Amino acid sequence: QRARDMIAQEKAELESQQTVYFDFDSAAIKAEFFPVLRKHAEFLVKNPSQNVVIEGHTDSRGTPEYNIALGESRAKTVETFFRNEGVSGSQISVVSYGEEKPAVTGTSEYAFAQNRRSIVVYQ
């Protein structure tokens, strides 16, 4: 029971840091997100029964097709990071929503920046 509580507590902490933001038209992970992604990876390696879906999102610029592809690239970059840290591929799914699920609506630079993201969602 105690071990289960500790896992739940660690997972809750990770879920509060589940978003990685990207530069415009980029799927490269910024160095500032490496430490939090490593924490997710360590948790997944220690808890092989835990699974995640990595969601890729974009801002509204670009065609819907382009944005679906870019969102997928962003999610796959996070997946590759996790795999390189030792997470099993069977624990990871990738989905791209492109521009369909904005975190912030509008066309300001702030809104665009908040929407260029990948989210690590525990299942």
Side-chain angles (χ1 to χ4, degrees):
Q1 180 60 37
R2 180 160 161 65
R4 225 179 16 239
D5 289 346
M6 284 175 66
I7 290 170
Q9 184 180 345
E10 190 174 354
K11 190 166 147 183
E13 198 174 297
L14 288 168
E15 286 175 329
S16 73
Q17 307 170 38
Q18 68 192 114
T19 306
V20 175
Y21 295 97
F22 294 88
D23 288 330
F24 175 67
D25 205 24
S26 172
I29 299 170
K30 296 187 240 184
E32 68 194 83
F33 294 107
F34 292 170
V36 70
L37 287 175
R38 276 196 195 97
K39 284 186 198 166
H40 283 284
E42 286 166 15
F43 177 78
L44 289 165
V45 168
K46 280 191 312 201
N47 299 284
S49 64
Q50 296 286 327
N51 295 314
V52 292
V53 174
I54 303 166
E55 298 179 354
H57 299 269
T58 66
D59 64 34
S60 58
R61 295 174 288 187
T63 65
E65 297 79 11
Y66 181 83
N67 285 337
I68 286 290
L70 180 57
E72 185 168 341
S73 292
R74 288 174 174 164
K76 285 185 179 283
T77 304
V78 175
E79 176 188 29
T80 300
F81 184 96
F82 284 170
R83 300 279 306 262
N84 289 342
E85 293 287 317
V87 179
S88 166
S90 63
Q91 290 174 267
I92 308 167
S93 304
V94 168
V95 63
S96 175
Y97 290 108
E99 63 190 80
E100 296 301 310
K101 292 187 167 192
V104 177
T105 55
T107 55
S108 67
E109 270 312 308
Y110 172 79
F112 287 149
Q114 293 300 298
N115 292 329
R116 296 189 302 258
R117 68 204 192 280
S118 281
I119 305 173
V120 179
V121 182
Y122 285 84
Q123 297 299 290

